[in-house]
């Protein structure tokens, strides 16, 4: 019997899978109960400021700023490839970059913090 932890739509399941011999009929098994929720990892010290989040899933092609950089509204912070297009993620306001949360080549989901500006 094999044991797996599987997450489906944000719900974790503890699953046991039995290998059957060829021609053996499966037996009815009750539905898997959600696994107990794991304690969330302690977040790293949050940088002060406003996070610029990814508007869509994609891959980071380039990060154009570093922590400590001063940016103006409209400056390009990150280039994100999504749906075979390069999307420039721009600063919404003037400020100083307090943290860069991604690196070139990272895969991100919608809402993933990319850069924090204060």
């Amino acid at each position: 019997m094999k044991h797996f932890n599987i997450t489906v739509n944000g719900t974790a399941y503890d699953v046991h899978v039995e290998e059957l011999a060829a021609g053996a009929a499966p037996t009815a098994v009750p539905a898997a109960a959600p696994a107990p929720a794991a304690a969330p990892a302690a977040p790293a010290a949050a940088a002060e400021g406003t996070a610029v989040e990814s508007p869509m899933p994609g891959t980071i092609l380039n990060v154009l700023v570093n922590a400590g950089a001063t940016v103006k509204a409209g400056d390009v912070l990150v280039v994100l490839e999504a749906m075979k297009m390069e999307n420039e993620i721009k600063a919404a306001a003037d400020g100083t970059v307090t943290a860069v949360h991604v690196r070139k080549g990272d895969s991100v989901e919608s809402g993933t913090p990319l850069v924090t500006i204060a």
Side-chain angles (χ1 to χ4, degrees):
M1 185 165 291
K2 293 185 180 184
H3 177 183
F4 297 95
N5 288 319
I6 300 173
T7 302
V8 178
N9 294 332
T11 302
Y13 294 91
D14 184 27
V15 180
H16 296 272
V17 179
E18 181 180 353
E19 293 182 53
L20 299 175
T27 58
V29 178
E48 294 295 321
T50 303
V52 176
E53 297 178 346
S54 177
M56 64 192 84
T59 302
I60 303 300
L61 291 182
N62 205 356
V63 178
L64 302 171
V65 294
N66 293 312
T70 301
V71 295
K72 301 268 185 204
D75 286 353
V76 178
L77 306 171
V78 175
V79 178
L80 172 74
E81 179 185 30
M83 298 181 283
K84 300 194 183 224
M85 293 182 63
E86 292 184 13
N87 300 280
E88 294 181 339
I89 309 303
K90 299 179 180 182
D94 297 351
T96 301
V97 175
T98 58
V100 177
H101 305 288
V102 293
R103 296 185 316 229
K104 182 176 181 177
D106 285 354
S107 291
V108 296
E109 294 297 324
S110 226
T112 300
L114 304 174
V115 176
T116 301
I117 300 175

